[in-house]
């Protein structure tokens, strides 16, 4: 959090850079999280501001290439620069210095949405894998799906997808019934677990397709490169694992009751 927004009369003046801003290419405005009170405690330093992209001092430096593709529009991740970028005070989104709270409120349901999308991709990949297994002829009368290792991959992927789906449904139910605080562990668990299932299913699907899976003749290569970020964005897998583990350990410390 190095991008800063200082109050100057009736305006906020932004200076700094942002990297990997999704969908900035072609956007009418950006939601910018910037430090507005550097002396405050860690979770109360930042605010969110709405900044029109035609504001003087706002510059989209570039679309950051992902696996060789820079993307465009909503399917892009941009590097942004703010130089004496001035917006009025009413550009503030929510309360001053409340950026962290707003971000956390969005991240809970946002991770649910990611997991739902990943499960859909898993289903698509599994369907393609099964179709390839029954159609690919290795020799007269012998198909790829006759190989026991391919059969095992299909069964394992089916089980992992179904288990992941139930974990996501349980987390969504917990949020609906008891709120985000009660579902903190589960949100962390689904974030890394479903991302790992996605990675495994896509890898198996590409392997079953052989060289075809590496090409753009199927959607698998697109999914594989686009969704590798699932294990990084909205919190790396390792962060979610450590956070969940710490809360689990805290509930089992000696002397704790309830």
């Amino acid at each position: 959090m190095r991008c800063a927004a200082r109050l100057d009369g009736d305006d906020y003046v932004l200076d700094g850079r942002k990297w990997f801003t999704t969908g900035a290419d072609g956007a009418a405005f950006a939601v910018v999280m910037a430090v507005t009170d550097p002396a405050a405690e860690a979770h109360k330093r930042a605010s969110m501001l709405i900044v029109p992209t035609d504001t003087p001092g706002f510059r989209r430096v570039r679309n950051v290439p992902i696996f060789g593709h820079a993307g465009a529009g909503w399917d892009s991740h941009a590097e942004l620069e703010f130089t004496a970028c001035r917006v009025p005070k009413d550009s503030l989104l929510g309360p001053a210095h409340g950026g962290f709270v707003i971000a956390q409120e969005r991240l809970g349901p946002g991770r649910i949405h990611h997991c739902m999308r990943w499960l859909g991709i898993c289903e698509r990949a599994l369907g393609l894998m099964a179709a390839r297994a029954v159609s690919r002829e290795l020799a007269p009368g012998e198909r790829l799906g006759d190989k026991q290792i391919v059969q095992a991959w299909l069964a394992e992927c089916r089980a992992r997808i179904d288990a992941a789906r139930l974990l996501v449904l349980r987390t969504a139910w917990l949020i609906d019934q008891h709120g985000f605080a009660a579902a903190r562990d589960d949100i962390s668990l689904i974030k890394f677990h479903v991302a790992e299932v996605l990675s495994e299913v896509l890898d198996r699907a590409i392997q079953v397709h052989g060289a075809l899976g590496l090409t753009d003749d199927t959607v698998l290569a697109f999914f594989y490169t686009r969704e590798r970020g699932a294990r990084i964005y909205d919190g790396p897998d390792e962060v979610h694992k450590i956070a969940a583990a710490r809360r689990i350990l805290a509930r089992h410390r000696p002397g704790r009751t309830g």
Side-chain angles (χ1 to χ4, degrees):
M1 288 298 298
R2 295 180 181 178
C3 184
R6 59 182 176 83
L7 198 56
D8 182 27
D10 292 328
D11 296 331
Y12 278 103
V13 181
L14 289 88
D15 286 283
R17 296 177 81 90
K18 291 288 185 181
W19 188 75
F20 217 79
T21 303
T22 302
D25 184 2
F29 65 90
V31 177
V32 182
M33 191 161 174
V35 175
T36 48
D37 186 0
E41 53 187 288
H43 294 163
K44 296 181 180 179
R45 292 177 184 171
S47 303
M48 286 197 181
L49 296 148
I50 297 174
V51 181
T53 55
D54 60 358
T55 305
F58 178 100
R59 184 168 77 97
R60 181 171 60 87
V61 178
R62 60 171 179 150
N63 288 350
V64 180
I66 307 298
F67 286 103
H69 299 281
W74 65 270
D75 187 29
S76 65
H77 307 279
E79 180 180 356
L80 306 179
E81 182 181 60
F82 302 88
T83 306
C85 184
R86 184 178 291 267
V87 293
K89 278 198 300 188
D90 61 9
S91 300
L92 198 65
L93 183 63
H97 322 309
F100 178 83
V101 173
I102 295 173
Q104 291 302 111
E105 285 293 318
R106 173 260 167 201
L107 284 172
R111 287 162 181 151
I112 291 273
H113 297 156
H114 280 315
C115 289
M116 292 164 60
R117 180 169 55 82
W118 297 339
L119 287 167
I121 293 171
C122 285
E123 291 289 357
R124 178 84 180 277
L126 183 63
L128 290 170
M129 188 184 347
R132 176 70 171 177
V134 299
S135 64
R136 179 73 168 98
E137 189 174 10
L138 303 177
E142 182 184 16
R143 297 190 180 274
L144 188 59
D146 297 329
K147 299 296 184 182
Q148 290 181 337
I149 191 168
V150 174
Q151 294 170 1
W153 289 348
L154 285 162
E156 290 165 357
C157 288
R158 180 73 272 163
R160 283 168 171 75
I161 294 168
D162 288 350
R165 182 185 302 278
L166 289 172
L167 188 58
V168 172
L169 285 170
R170 177 179 181 273
T171 304
W173 178 86
L174 271 175
I175 291 174
D176 282 345
Q177 297 297 316
H178 303 289
F180 294 113
R184 282 195 308 169
D185 287 0
D186 299 80
I187 290 170
S188 288
L189 296 178
I190 63 169
K191 171 55 177 65
F192 73 76
H193 179 67
V194 182
E196 289 176 351
V197 170
L198 172 66
S199 180
E200 181 178 0
V201 171
L202 286 174
D203 187 75
R204 293 298 193 206
I206 288 173
Q207 195 71 13
V208 167
H209 280 75
L212 178 62
L214 304 177
T215 72
D216 288 337
D217 287 356
T218 77
V219 74
L220 293 171
F222 169 78
F223 283 149
Y224 190 79
T225 54
R226 177 180 173 81
E227 300 301 339
R228 176 56 182 85
R231 294 175 55 199
I232 297 172
Y233 54 67
D234 273 15
D237 285 3
E238 294 77 12
V239 170
H240 285 285
K241 290 177 181 181
I242 292 168
R246 284 175 175 170
R247 290 192 291 267
I248 293 167
L249 290 170
R251 292 195 290 271
H252 289 80
R253 285 183 184 136
R256 181 183 173 90
T257 59

